[in-house]
Amino acid sequence: MTALWLKAALLPSGWQNDVRIEISGTLISAVIVGTPARPEDERADIGVPGLCNVHSHAFQRGMAGLAEHRGPSDDDFWSWREVMYRFLDRLDPDDVEAIAAMAYIEMLETGYTRVGEFHYLHNDPDGKRYQDPAEMAARVIGASEATGIGMTLLPVFYAHSDFGGAPPKHGQRRFLNDLDAFARLLGACEDILPTDGILGVAPHSLRAVTVEELRELVDMRRGAPLHIHAAEQLKEVEASLAFTGARPVEWLLANAGVDQHWCLIHATHLTEAETDALAASGAVAGLCPVTEANLGDGIFPAVRYLAAGGKISTGTDSNILIDPAQELRALEYSQRLSHRARNLLASEARPSVGRRIFDEAHAGGAQALGVTQGLAVGMSADLVVLDAKHPALYGRSGDQLLDSWIFAARANCVDAVWRAGRKLVSNGQHKDRENVWRRYKAVLDRILAL
Ligand code: NGQ
Ligand code: ZN
């Protein structure tokens, strides 16, 4: 048994002082409030629960910053996608594992303890299937095991380039499966899932799957997380209207049985009616505010959606920058810029913006990744220790700590991270950063020279 004693910790009951958290194996076995530290306890100042990163394409970390350069025509999401397709063309399974491990270390070091890996790189560089259908999936799982981050694997079904079953493009050849091959992939993933890994399913988008395929995919893992990209770009909304007569989220809500197991990634472009209906569905909106800003997607109507009781979570998506505090900051700031007002994602009952969006992302993230979590008995021991000596946090207490972490810190405020009972990050650094960095560096040296 290990015990961690915290001056202050954010428990399900709120902030508490002098908290002793006992860990047996991977789980929290006791939480005692208002108790002095014992000599054998590890001591820290501020503890909050670890967060879920609900949407990652880990390999894209390797090209972060390399698409911020104007191309021959006006750049937008679609021209970025071409750059991204050219980058992934070169990656072999070892490369993906090395890049994913580096990305997962950055996630752990900034306070994420579980990742939803929206994994669609299945085939070899020629588009041929590997002998083992889970060849590539095994690499992102391997990266999660090597770094210790929790894994919710979301194998992606991708078969078409646009609505109506349009044939896939050359750049998409590594993503493709038919339904039988995809069922085999799911089976192979099940066999290699880590102990507390979760396996969901991810129809890529309404562009990449047909209505008939979506119906079968929904049945493949009932009750497990189901993630889909939806309404990120206006072009997709227009194509959906032209093809189905309905907007993407409107169509999903009317036809696909969207419920609490679903996570709609982005859901950027919503009418007021769609916003309210999505909130009422019980599904989680998987927002990726940093990537959405980077790609010029648009602004999610978070004020109305939260007021309607909608559930949110955040993801790092393209991994252009990995940090949950910056995702939450970008989310609130996008609302301030569009409404020209302040403190928009707080409410009268929950006046701290930082606390409100941290709590929402924590709860919605767990739901979206198929786990329950928090600093309570029986939960996985996933805990983030904030650095009380960081200038942005000094002199703050309670919810002010979250407000200051999210809005006032330039650098990362995370001092230590415990995940499934193991201390993986100390003094802001993952214990295996050096090895993972060396391997990442060798891969980047090679692929950037190609
Ligand atoms: C992806 N990323 O799957 O990596 C996508 C681009 C697409 C974002 N949507 C591909 N942010 O949507 O067609
Ligand atoms: Zn995505």
Side-chain angles (χ1 to χ4, degrees), residues 72-91:
S73 59
D74 287 351
D75 282 333
D76 62 8
F77 172 87
W78 307 100
S79 62
W80 167 83
R81 196 175 73 159
E82 291 304 320
V83 176
M84 190 268 283
Y85 284 177
R86 285 198 297 277
F87 177 75
L88 68 82
D89 261 0
R90 331 168 189 176
L91 304 178

Side-chain angles (χ1 to χ4, degrees), residues 119-176:
H119 169 70
Y120 60 82
L121 214 45
H122 304 306
N123 301 327
D124 79 7
D126 295 325
K128 285 209 306 286
R129 298 217 168 96
Y130 289 104
Q131 196 155 11
D132 173 3
E135 172 73 42
M136 292 294 257
R139 302 317 187 103
V140 292
I141 288 176
S144 75
E145 290 177 316
T147 58
I149 199 165
M151 169 60 75
T152 292
L153 184 66
L154 302 158
V156 174
F157 181 84
Y158 198 114
H160 313 284
S161 64
D162 215 336
F163 285 82
K169 298 189 171 146
H170 179 72
Q172 298 165 338
R173 67 196 178 284
R174 301 194 68 179
F175 319 158
L176 306 175

Side-chain angles (χ1 to χ4, degrees), residues 299 303 329-345 353-354 403 407:
I299 299 174
V303 173
R329 185 191 310 164
L331 175 61
E332 167 72 17
Y333 278 179
S334 68
Q335 308 301 308
R336 294 188 190 187
L337 288 165
S338 62
H339 292 267
R340 296 193 291 274
R342 301 189 73 250
N343 301 338
L344 285 158
L345 300 180
V353 177
D403 289 332
F407 294 104

Side-chain angles (χ1 to χ4, degrees), residues 317-396:
D317 192 357
S318 67
N319 293 311
I320 178 72
L321 181 151
I322 295 172
D323 185 343
Q326 297 223 27
E327 295 293 346
L328 295 172
R329 185 191 310 164
L331 175 61
E332 167 72 17
Y333 278 179
S334 68
Q335 308 301 308
R336 294 188 190 187
L337 288 165
S338 62
H339 292 267
R340 296 193 291 274
R342 301 189 73 250
N343 301 338
L344 285 158
L345 300 180
S347 67
E348 231 168 273
R350 301 163 78 180
S352 154
V353 177
R355 173 70 186 279
R356 173 84 192 282
I357 55 185
F358 181 91
D359 280 354
E360 296 284 357
H362 178 250
Q367 179 180 322
L369 295 192
V371 293
T372 51
Q373 59 175 27
L375 302 182
V377 173
M379 300 293 171
S380 179
D382 299 351
L383 178 137
V384 174
V385 173
L386 298 178
D387 176 10
K389 293 189 199 70
H390 192 292
L393 300 189
Y394 188 75
R396 312 293 192 260

Side-chain angles (χ1 to χ4, degrees), residues 55-57 59-60 77-78 80-81 84-85 88 118 120 156 158 160-161 172 175 204-205 207-208 229-230 232-233 236 265-266 288 291-292 295 297 317-318:
H55 191 68
S56 157
H57 309 288
F59 74 85
Q60 292 176 16
F77 172 87
W78 307 100
W80 167 83
R81 196 175 73 159
M84 190 268 283
Y85 284 177
L88 68 82
F118 199 100
Y120 60 82
V156 174
Y158 198 114
H160 313 284
S161 64
Q172 298 165 338
F175 319 158
H204 181 275
S205 54
R207 289 175 270 125
H229 290 117
E232 180 182 11
Q233 282 283 321
E236 177 185 317
I265 304 301
H266 307 302
C288 309
T291 294
E292 287 152 10
L295 297 180
D297 289 336
D317 192 357
S318 67

Side-chain angles (χ1 to χ4, degrees), residues 118 155-157 201-205 209 214 217-218 226-229 262:
F118 199 100
V156 174
F157 181 84
V201 63
H204 181 275
S205 54
V209 309
L214 181 61
L217 292 162
V218 167
L226 189 147
H227 289 217
I228 184 168
H229 290 117
W262 286 62

